[in-house]
């Protein structure tokens, strides 16, 4: 399928700023925003509701195949629909986050999610996740890998959780960040890694606006280079 709009891939570990910056870039460029982490959270919610055992990977994979996940709305107010129900708020609970981390390591679930993500982004958009530039869209027009120290990422996530009135300590969040990093980096299927042609940005000492400007500069330069190559 020929597309007229670019695909921008933003990968990185939890708390690196992917979602916030993905929304900002999608809004600035008028592109579809696809939060792949929200898709895994929706499947995690379906698993919790079904009471399937976490060891029953076949049942979980079947739930992923049957689930209808839709993303809609402005990037800054993305709504996540699971089988026609708006679950945008419910998928951000600590329990759902934990289960999402577990099921995202199941190869059958990842393959189903990759299939759906490719369908959603086939005509262009900004996709954020952990394997967008390496697996989902290895031919993305622009690839970024955002990172930061575990402590900085944990502080950001801790502040987000406090805003949602979740009762977690900083040490709890840091521990979960480190566990998630290990799980994401060592899983056999679609591990978290930096694409060879990705632009890496360490966001530890940078403000959101500073990172946004760096990313937009890269996008503008890539677009200009592409236009010059296609010119007769």
């Amino acid at each position: 399928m020929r597309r007229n709009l670019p695909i921008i891939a933003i990968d990185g570990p939890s708390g690196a700023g992917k979602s916030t910056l993905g929304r900002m870039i999608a809004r600035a460029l008028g592109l579809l925003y696809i939060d792949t982490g929200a898709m895994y959270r929706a499947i995690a919610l379906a698993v919790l509701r079904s009471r399937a055992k976490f060891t029953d990977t076949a049942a979980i994979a079947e739930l992923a195949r049957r689930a209808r996940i839709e993303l809609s709305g402005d990037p800054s107010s993305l709504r996540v629909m699971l089988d026609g129900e708006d679950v945008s708020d419910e998928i951000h609970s600590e329990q759902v986050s934990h289960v999402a981390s577990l099921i995202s390591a199941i190869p059958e679930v990842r393959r189903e999610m990759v299939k759906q993500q490719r369908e959603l982004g086939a005509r262009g958009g900004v996709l954020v996740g952990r394997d967008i530039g390496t697996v989902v869209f290895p031919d993305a027009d622009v690839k970024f890998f955002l990172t930061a120290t575990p402590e900085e990422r944990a502080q950001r996530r801790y502040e987000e959780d406090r805003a949602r009135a979740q009762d977690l300590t900083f040490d709890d969040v840091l521990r979960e960040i480190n566990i998630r990093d290990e799980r994401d980096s060592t899983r056999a299927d679609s591990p978290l890694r930096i694409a060879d042609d990705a632009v890496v940005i360490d966001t530890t000492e940078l403000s959101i606006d500073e990172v946004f400007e760096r990313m937009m500069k890269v996008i503008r330069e890539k677009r200009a280079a592409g236009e010059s190559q296609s010119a007769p």
Side-chain angles (χ1 to χ4, degrees):
M1 180 185 296
R2 184 179 179 84
R3 66 175 187 269
N4 296 319
L5 297 175
I7 291 177
I8 299 173
I10 306 176
D11 290 315
S14 177
K18 303 185 302 296
S19 297
T20 299
L21 286 154
R23 288 192 293 267
M24 292 172 69
I25 290 172
R27 188 164 54 247
L29 299 178
L31 294 174
L32 176 68
Y33 170 64
I34 302 173
D35 183 350
T36 63
M39 298 175 71
Y40 283 103
R41 288 170 177 266
I43 297 300
L45 180 60
V47 170
L48 286 168
R49 288 177 171 180
S50 73
R51 300 184 181 277
K53 294 181 179 179
F54 298 148
T55 54
D56 192 348
T57 57
I60 293 173
E62 181 60 25
L63 280 170
R65 279 190 289 271
R66 293 203 316 263
R68 289 188 301 108
I69 301 174
E70 299 170 273
L71 306 177
S72 63
D74 181 83
S76 60
S77 56
L78 185 72
R79 309 311 296 173
V80 182
M81 309 295 291
L82 173 63
D83 296 327
E85 177 190 353
D86 188 338
V87 295
S88 306
D89 296 327
E90 197 171 352
I91 61 173
H92 287 290
S93 74
E94 183 59 28
Q95 185 181 26
V96 168
S97 297
H98 177 67
V99 174
S101 175
L102 295 176
I103 67 167
S104 66
I106 300 173
E108 294 83 0
V109 172
R110 293 204 72 85
R111 283 193 282 271
E112 179 59 32
M113 289 295 96
V114 166
K115 175 184 174 183
Q116 294 190 32
Q117 290 155 18
R118 284 174 176 163
E119 291 172 352
L120 285 170
R123 291 185 175 84
V126 179
L127 291 89
V128 301
R130 287 170 173 77
D131 60 351
I132 308 303
T134 55
V135 176
V136 183
F137 282 108
D139 62 341
D141 297 278
V142 188
K143 300 178 187 178
F144 294 102
F145 188 95
L146 304 184
T147 188
T149 64
E151 292 76 16
E152 175 63 22
R153 292 188 284 120
Q155 183 62 38
R156 295 171 184 173
R157 185 54 52 83
Y158 174 62
E159 291 172 1
E160 289 177 5
D161 289 344
R162 286 183 64 189
R164 298 191 185 103
Q166 295 188 24
D167 188 19
L168 290 173
T169 67
F170 171 81
D171 288 340
D172 290 335
V173 178
L174 178 59
R175 187 180 308 110
E176 183 60 32
I177 286 275
N178 287 328
I179 291 172
R180 183 66 186 270
D181 286 353
E182 176 70 15
R183 184 181 295 135
D184 288 344
S185 300
T186 59
R187 64 180 177 235
D189 197 278
S190 302
L192 172 66
R193 65 180 181 84
I194 304 172
D196 293 338
D197 53 348
V199 176
V200 180
I201 302 177
D202 188 329
T203 68
T204 304
E205 301 294 336
L206 300 174
S207 69
I208 286 293
D209 288 339
E210 287 173 325
V211 180
F212 173 72
E213 288 303 323
R214 288 194 185 189
M215 295 174 77
M216 289 299 294
K217 182 174 184 291
V218 170
I219 293 169
R220 287 191 293 267
E221 290 173 347
K222 293 270 189 179
R223 177 178 291 178
E227 290 174 350
S228 65
Q229 289 176 2
S230 61

